[in-house]
Amino acid sequence: MHLNTTAIVLAIRPHGEAGAIVRALTGEAGMLAGYVRGGRSRALRPVLQPGNVVLGGWRARTAEQLPALTVELAHSRAPMFREPLPAAAIEWATALTAAVLPEGQAYPQVHSALGGVLDAIEAAPAARGWAVALVRYELLVLAALGFGLDLTRCAATGTSDDLAFVSPKSGMAVSRAAATGYEARLLPLPHFVREGGAAEWTDILGGLKLTAHFLARDLLHGRAAEVLAARVRLVDRLMRAVA
């Protein structure tokens, strides 16, 4: 492997006395791991932070070998870690991506969407400005990995009108009329998820509840409790912020 490209840092794991294994998301080659010599040094710690954009150089003699990785900072999002909410959002978005994407498979839409979410977190003056984008990113990740929701028509009637809920079993939308008497068993389908646009906090929290169910069931079940813990921290902080 010989690859030089920009990448979004997703996860850093200590390795040896001073090195680190870094997973980063590229546009053309997907998520790649690499060993960074001195990755825990004072010079490289600010570079190797989740959400940062780096110019990475991966080098390996064989396909089986963990590549050596050199990094140069292209864009730092370190200032965002001074604020609890943006820090929790970056931590969750990057941890989710690192946990579920297979290595070495290109997902250009995921790469582009993750960059957009991180840009929104960086630019928005308040969490409501990026929380909608985060919900949409989670839905995109589910769809990219084969677990997309069918929100185009009602599972019971086939209608596309007044869709207000989602079946937690099938992942299909349910109309308000068909849901009568079963609302407590269904997940909310906020308007912005289907129609786009901005959203109020009630709908945003409903969207996060919707995606949480399918992420835990289909992508993170039984193998990434620490990743879900990052999401719990984010949602807790969001709920405290809007209380």
Side-chain angles (χ1 to χ4, degrees):
M1 172 189 284
H2 293 82
L3 178 66
N4 294 298
T5 189
T6 56
I8 302 169
V9 177
L10 300 178
I12 306 97
R13 179 165 60 86
H15 186 80
E17 292 186 2
I21 295 175
V22 176
R23 283 177 168 78
L25 184 62
T26 72
E28 63 269 44
M31 184 175 69
L32 297 174
Y35 173 74
V36 180
R37 185 183 299 274
R40 290 186 288 156
S41 67
R42 182 176 297 180
L44 286 180
R45 277 200 303 268
V47 177
L48 296 176
Q49 287 200 3
N52 280 359
V53 180
V54 297
L55 176 61
W58 283 264
R59 297 289 183 272
R61 293 182 179 179
T62 67
E64 294 75 23
Q65 181 184 22
L66 177 67
L69 171 61
T70 59
V71 293
E72 178 182 339
L73 184 63
H75 178 69
S76 174
R77 294 190 170 97
M80 295 295 98
F81 283 85
R82 299 171 189 163
E83 299 293 334
L85 263 177
I90 293 173
E91 178 189 14
W92 160 245
T94 53
L96 169 66
T97 309
V100 301
L101 287 190
E103 290 189 17
Q105 296 186 27
Y107 290 90
Q109 283 187 306
V110 174
H111 176 268
S112 177
L114 178 59
V117 169
L118 297 174
D119 287 344
I121 294 170
E122 195 172 11
R128 197 157 69 95
W130 50 256
V132 166
L134 184 62
V135 173
R136 291 189 181 125
Y137 178 69
E138 293 174 340
L139 289 168
L140 174 64
V141 169
L142 283 163
L145 294 175
F147 297 100
L149 309 186
D150 183 355
L151 307 179
T152 60
R153 57 189 176 86
C154 176
T157 66
T159 182
S160 58
D161 298 329
D162 199 21
L163 302 177
F165 299 93
V166 177
S167 165
K169 293 183 178 180
S170 69
M172 292 185 66
V174 180
S175 70
R176 198 178 305 276
T180 302
Y182 298 94
E183 293 90 344
R185 301 182 187 180
L186 301 172
L187 296 164
L189 176 56
H191 181 78
F192 80 90
V193 171
R194 291 190 69 241
E195 306 297 333
E200 298 300 324
W201 274 115
T202 300
D203 281 344
I204 291 171
L205 294 175
L208 289 168
K209 180 179 179 181
L210 171 67
T211 52
H213 172 80
F214 293 102
L215 288 170
R217 188 191 75 176
D218 297 329
L219 294 182
L220 296 171
H221 176 68
R223 63 185 181 91
E226 70 281 2
V227 179
L228 286 173
R231 195 181 196 277
V232 170
R233 288 193 294 272
L234 169 61
V235 174
D236 285 346
R237 288 177 182 178
L238 283 171
M239 294 185 72
R240 287 199 299 268
V242 303

